[in-house]
Amino acid sequence: MLKTFIATAAILALGTGAALAHVSLQVKEAPVGSTYKAILQVPHGCEGKPTTTVRVQIPEGVIAVKPQPKAGWTIEKVKGTYAKSYDYYGTPTSEGVKELIWSGGSLADDEYDEFALRVFLTPDLKAGETLYFPVVQECAGGLAERWIEIPAAGQSSDDLELPAPGLKLLEKVSGH
């Protein structure tokens, strides 16, 4: 009985450690047609080096992007044209932020931090699917971790070495 308990605890500890090692979203589900606060959790640096830049690619269908400033970090908003025009509370919207870059800070390898942004998930997104926010974490010494892998059909994020943070899209909530 004790051996089974110890083995189970060890497996759970390994699984938890692996899950915490990835850049991930704090809240992993949100309804389409709503505002969503994405909080990216960065749990470590690259091979012992501090993180100096965090780049987030904004997926198509995500508009009205507003990053949260962080003391000691500079925010760059890379803007561009969307694949189509979206309705944003009655205003046609065909361009906006497509990438956010926090840079100039230093997050030590043995520290943890969060990078937040507020977005609108258009009703054009498909409920039941997972939306991925690819992240590139750049570190001192030219090192980088590219959290950009998206599962192919039949795979899950657990099958990938460097999975992009994913958000499960839920049905639109009716009402105001």
Side-chain angles (χ1 to χ4, degrees):
M1 175 86 169
L2 181 60
K3 285 182 181 178
T4 302
F5 174 76
I6 291 172
T8 302
I11 289 169
L12 289 173
L14 288 172
T16 302
L20 293 175
H22 298 151
V23 171
S24 60
L25 288 167
Q26 185 178 62
V27 176
K28 299 177 183 346
E29 296 182 340
V32 299
S34 69
T35 299
Y36 169 66
K37 181 179 179 184
I39 301 172
L40 291 160
Q41 302 170 315
V42 179
H44 57 73
C46 316
E47 299 177 26
K49 304 289 185 187
T51 300
T52 57
T53 301
V54 175
R55 298 174 175 269
V56 181
Q57 185 177 15
I58 307 301
E60 186 68 31
V62 176
I63 65 173
V65 176
K66 291 184 177 180
Q68 182 176 7
K70 293 183 66 67
W73 296 78
T74 300
I75 299 172
E76 181 182 352
K77 301 168 205 140
V78 179
K79 296 182 179 178
T81 305
Y82 300 136
K84 61 184 258 184
S85 181
Y86 297 98
D87 177 52
Y88 184 58
Y89 296 108
T91 302
T93 305
S94 59
E95 60 184 37
V97 176
K98 299 190 79 162
E99 183 180 14
L100 288 174
I101 305 166
W102 282 271
S103 63
S106 182
L107 173 61
D109 185 53
D110 63 348
E111 295 175 348
Y112 160 87
D113 207 347
E114 298 175 338
F115 296 80
L117 55 146
R118 180 180 175 266
V119 304
F120 182 74
L121 304 170
T122 63
D124 298 38
L125 295 168
K126 199 169 188 177
E129 293 188 353
T130 300
L131 188 66
Y132 293 94
F133 292 78
V135 174
V136 175
Q137 178 186 5
E138 297 177 3
C139 298
L143 297 174
E145 297 283 349
R146 300 179 189 286
W147 307 98
I148 61 172
E149 297 177 339
I150 296 173
Q155 284 186 316
S156 76
S157 291
D158 295 336
D159 299 325
L160 305 173
E161 184 179 347
L162 297 167
L167 173 69
K168 183 174 182 180
L169 299 171
L170 304 176
E171 292 290 332
K172 182 177 180 176
V173 177
S174 62
H176 200 59

